Amino acid sequence: MNRLGAGIFLAVLGLVGCASTSNNARQDYGLGRVIDAAEIAQWDIDIKPSGEGLPDGEGTAAAGAILYQQYCTACHGDQGQGGTNDRLVAAFDREVNYSTGSPTRTIGNYWPYATTLFDYIRRAMPHNAPGSLTNQQVYDLSAWLLFQNGVIAENDVINRSTLPQLQMPASGLFYWSDEVVDLATD
Amino acid sequence: MKDFPLLDRREVLKAGLRFSTATLGMGAAGAFGQSVPFAPPDSTKVLGPPPSALGQRSPFETPQKFLRPGTAAAGASFTPLEILHGIITPADLHFERHHAGIPVIDPGSFELMIHGLVDRPMKFTLNDLKRFPATSKICFIECSGNGRQAASLPDGLPEDITPGQLDGLFSVSEWTGVKLSTLLDEVGASRRATWMLAEGQDAAVMGRSIPMRKVLDDAMVVYAQNGEAIRPEQGYPLRLLLPGWEGNANVKWLRRLEISDAPFMMRDETSKYTDAMADGRMRMFTFEMAPKSLITNLSYPYVMQRKGFHEIRGIAWSGGGKIARVDISLDGGRNWARAALQEPVLDKCATCFRYGFDWQGEERIIMSRATDEQCNTQLGYVDNEANRGPGTSYHNSAIRPWKIHADGHITFAMKEVAA
């Protein structure tokens, strides 16, 4: 290759280099649209363990008992003992959690966060009419289930400040897998 | 009857043929319902049908997914692994596992929302997503609960179970979509972010928390499966793809991604997809699917028809990367020999293996054992249970043994190996 040829060759290399560099730079694709808080709120339904996302209102076991009979017994049994679907009520039993074979995972012996209960009932229950319960009804049902599982007393009231503070019986037994300890802490 | 000069019309009708365009599209011997498919005695003497607008399987081939009796909206159907060849699962045979049925979503009004710890909360239409730089990945999705009937269940270990009934919550597709890292650049995700909530728009509004490291590594939102739009039962029009991670976290009918600095502790990642360990504690967030392999042809309900050469065939996979080797034992795990691997050997994908041997009517327990490129090897029954905990049947990847009986019939032999 003569000197001119080499020069052209290097110039081409340089151009390619520039092109690939610019292609890797932060590209503004101009796709999608920015949304405001009101639009986010329509879909942002999750309840965090801190209680963030919990609505106003409060619930009691007495009111929840009536709702439970109305909406839940067909699948979960009239006392939460389970039926065509999960058992919901069983007091924490260390022997159950130590035993071999799948332990029956109930709210009382397994669920680590009370906030998850409100979140899940509101988003997915009842199975044949998901998302149909009011916040009031979800608070009441949560209260009844927590009372049945021995987490709260019969006359305790749950609301956005008390629910996240409840200590679930099994919460201290949960730990993160090594793969996630590595992945989540960078 | 010009196209079928050799056939009597009544015979044709008896054979179940209907001369609609659609039928012709299925081939000259198209058949419907329960009737036996019909083929002319000599296909070289019969003009075949013209090209079709939509292809159909041969009427002689009627594959079905396995549905347990009483399967409801929160149920599953299993890929018939024993009838497949190669690594790709036909889209209509891809396993299904839904928590509240299959939603119907209009792609014209569909939007994906990304918010939380971002500079610009945004929504993207399906057309927006298709205009981003596209990428494809051929990989498996395996349900977290796949193979649970190989665990010690109260009702014991079955012997009359097919590979598909046992491990058919496993399928492979070519998935096409957008790298999630591209979308997170677009919304300006915070460097403080460590977790992301992925939430679907099914009737359970199913959601899972995903570590941000995985999100930025190889996670995608995908709109295509094996070259066409994703099937409704696979998440149409958009699903999350986390190559190598448990199926439940690959959220279907994806609607919302919330960027955060902590996990959301959803119902499925607390009360369901966690490992109850022998020490009474519960391990959360075991996402990666372990190395696993499965003999798919010399297994229940196959019956050895004759003595002589037989080829063991199966698939191996690992959420940890490529399959490095598969070993075969013909004597219940005492001796092992290396199986041949079929190209392509892809990352976090099924790899086909084969091993030929001579059978002379003796009773044998045959098994396969996968090792991935991270040098992780598929565990036996006892080690798998110790690793996963006695109180969980999730992520059951224990070595699968099959017993060839002297009369040639084959049964699932986990009961004998576990004893």
Side-chain angles (χ1 to χ4, degrees):
Chain A
M1 189 183 285
N2 61 31
R3 190 172 291 178
L4 181 60
I8 290 169
F9 179 64
L10 288 173
V12 169
L13 269 186
L15 279 174
V16 169
C18 286
S20 73
T21 302
S22 71
N23 201 28
N24 287 338
R26 167 82 173 83
Q27 172 80 42
D28 181 9
Y29 296 105
L31 297 167
R33 63 187 176 86
V34 175
I35 52 176
D36 61 19
E39 189 164 358
I40 293 169
Q42 290 174 12
W43 286 358
D44 184 8
I45 59 170
D46 63 86
I47 311 297
K48 296 180 175 65
S50 66
E52 186 186 336
L54 278 171
D56 292 334
E58 56 185 28
T60 63
I66 297 164
L67 293 166
Y68 183 87
Q69 295 304 321
Q70 191 175 347
Y71 292 110
C72 316
T73 53
C75 297
H76 298 292
D78 60 357
Q79 297 298 314
Q81 74 273 29
T84 56
N85 221 304
D86 287 2
R87 178 175 178 176
L88 303 176
V89 175
F92 180 74
D93 180 343
R94 210 167 172 77
E95 290 306 312
V96 170
N97 280 328
Y98 273 101
S99 70
T100 56
S102 286
T104 302
R105 300 178 175 192
T106 71
I107 295 161
N109 74 20
Y110 207 91
W111 289 50
Y113 297 96
T115 45
T116 307
L117 187 57
F118 185 101
D119 176 284
Y120 184 69
I121 294 171
R122 187 169 74 164
R123 73 174 58 223
M125 290 290 117
H127 191 56
N128 60 353
S132 62
L133 300 173
T134 64
N135 288 333
Q136 177 65 55
Q137 290 174 315
V138 177
Y139 268 127
D140 288 333
L141 279 168
S142 301
W144 187 80
L145 287 166
L146 291 165
F147 165 60
Q148 289 295 309
N149 278 286
V151 180
I152 62 172
E154 185 162 15
N155 295 318
D156 285 356
V157 168
I158 59 163
N159 56 39
R160 71 193 317 167
S161 43
T162 60
L163 190 64
Q165 288 169 14
L166 293 177
Q167 187 69 27
M168 298 297 279
S171 64
L173 297 174
F174 279 78
Y175 67 102
W176 292 13
S177 73
D178 289 346
E179 60 181 287
V180 168
V181 170
D182 293 345
L183 283 165
T185 55
D186 199 358
Chain B
M1 297 309 300
K2 195 176 163 194
D3 290 349
F4 298 86
L6 299 178
L7 301 182
D8 174 84
R9 183 177 172 79
R10 275 173 304 174
E11 276 184 24
V12 168
L13 290 173
K14 235 189 294 179
L17 278 179
R18 278 188 222 157
F19 291 94
S20 67
T21 311
T23 308
L24 290 171
M26 295 175 70
F32 284 87
Q34 300 303 311
S35 53
V36 178
F38 180 86
D42 182 352
S43 64
T44 68
K45 300 294 188 289
V46 183
L47 180 62
S52 57
L54 187 65
Q56 304 281 341
R57 284 195 176 86
S58 161
F60 295 94
E61 301 294 330
T62 55
Q64 298 265 300
K65 285 185 270 194
F66 172 66
L67 283 161
R68 286 208 185 91
T71 296
S77 60
F78 295 65
T79 296
L81 298 170
E82 58 276 8
I83 66 163
L84 300 183
H85 308 269
I87 61 173
I88 299 288
T89 310
D92 58 359
L93 294 178
H94 194 292
F95 83 87
E96 301 177 43
R97 167 73 177 104
H98 317 307
H99 291 251
I102 305 163
V104 178
I105 298 168
D106 179 354
S109 56
F110 171 85
E111 287 182 297
L112 172 69
M113 179 165 92
I114 309 179
H115 69 114
L117 295 178
V118 301
D119 295 335
R120 297 169 296 281
M122 296 182 78
K123 278 185 177 176
F124 301 94
T125 66
L126 194 59
N127 281 334
D128 288 336
L129 295 171
K130 288 178 178 175
R131 286 175 61 192
F132 279 103
T135 184
S136 286
K137 175 96 179 164
I138 301 175
C139 63
F140 72 80
I141 295 180
E142 181 180 16
C143 179
S144 333
N146 197 32
R148 66 174 5 139
Q149 285 181 280
S152 53
L153 298 171
D155 48 348
L157 291 158
E159 295 181 342
D160 55 346
I161 189 167
T162 69
Q165 290 169 345
L166 176 64
D167 280 319
L169 299 178
F170 171 92
S171 305
V172 174
S173 304
E174 179 189 8
W175 302 100
T176 304
V178 189
K179 285 202 77 166
L180 210 35
S181 57
T182 304
L183 297 181
L184 294 191
D185 271 352
E186 200 71 3
V187 298
S190 165
R191 288 172 181 275
R192 287 194 297 121
T194 48
W195 290 82
M196 178 190 81
L197 175 70
E199 190 177 87
Q201 60 173 303
D202 58 331
V205 205
M206 222 288 298
R208 287 293 302 266
S209 305
I210 313 297
M212 192 57 71
R213 181 98 69 87
K214 177 69 173 179
V215 170
L216 297 177
D217 175 20
D218 62 355
M220 298 162 62
V221 294
V222 296
Y223 42 74
Q225 175 186 8
N226 296 347
E228 61 176 340
I230 289 184
R231 298 263 165 159
E233 59 274 20
Q234 296 310 322
Y236 182 85
L238 192 74
R239 85 176 299 166
L240 180 64
L241 183 73
L242 304 173
W245 280 24
E246 63 179 8
N248 178 254
N250 293 252
V251 176
K252 295 180 285 193
W253 315 293
L254 190 65
R255 174 171 85 170
R256 182 166 78 95
L257 301 173
E258 182 173 348
I259 311 303
S260 183
D261 56 3
F264 291 71
M265 302 303 178
M266 308 298 285
R267 174 258 201 178
D268 286 286
E269 62 207 14
T270 52
S271 74
K272 291 292 176 186
Y273 298 94
T274 50
D275 302 336
M277 306 302 289
D279 64 2
R281 297 191 302 155
M282 292 77 129
R283 184 172 59 191
M284 313 179 75
F285 304 125
T286 47
F287 289 111
E288 189 176 294
M289 301 310 288
K292 189 167 171 181
S293 65
L294 178 71
I295 294 169
T296 53
N297 70 325
L298 300 188
S299 40
Y300 180 85
Y302 185 77
V303 178
M304 310 285 270
Q305 299 295 332
R306 64 178 73 155
K307 294 175 182 175
F309 176 80
H310 285 82
E311 187 172 67
I312 292 172
R313 297 173 190 149
I315 47 173
W317 64 92
S318 171
K322 294 180 181 175
I323 288 296
R325 61 185 290 170
V326 174
D327 296 294
I328 300 291
S329 175
L330 301 175
D331 57 7
R334 281 188 291 280
N335 295 289
W336 295 88
R338 204 157 177 161
L341 300 186
Q342 171 68 56
E343 294 289 336
V345 178
L346 300 175
D347 179 54
K348 300 163 188 170
C349 190
T351 295
C352 293
F353 65 83
R354 301 190 180 100
Y355 184 85
F357 76 108
D358 190 52
W359 182 68
Q360 290 301 327
E362 69 280 12
E363 192 175 283
R364 287 189 175 280
I365 289 183
I366 60 171
M367 49 179 73
S368 60
R369 184 180 68 189
T371 301
D372 70 15
E373 62 183 343
Q374 311 284 335
C375 297
N376 289 316
T377 294
Q378 185 175 7
L379 301 176
Y381 181 88
V382 173
D383 289 338
N384 179 76
E385 185 176 284
N387 186 38
R388 287 292 159 190
T392 183
S393 53
Y394 294 117
H395 289 244
N396 188 300
S397 60
I399 290 170
R400 274 81 171 103
W402 301 93
K403 182 173 185 175
I404 303 173
H405 297 257
D407 66 358
H409 83 279
I410 303 177
T411 53
F412 184 52
M414 191 66 98
K415 187 180 281 180
E416 297 175 45
V417 171

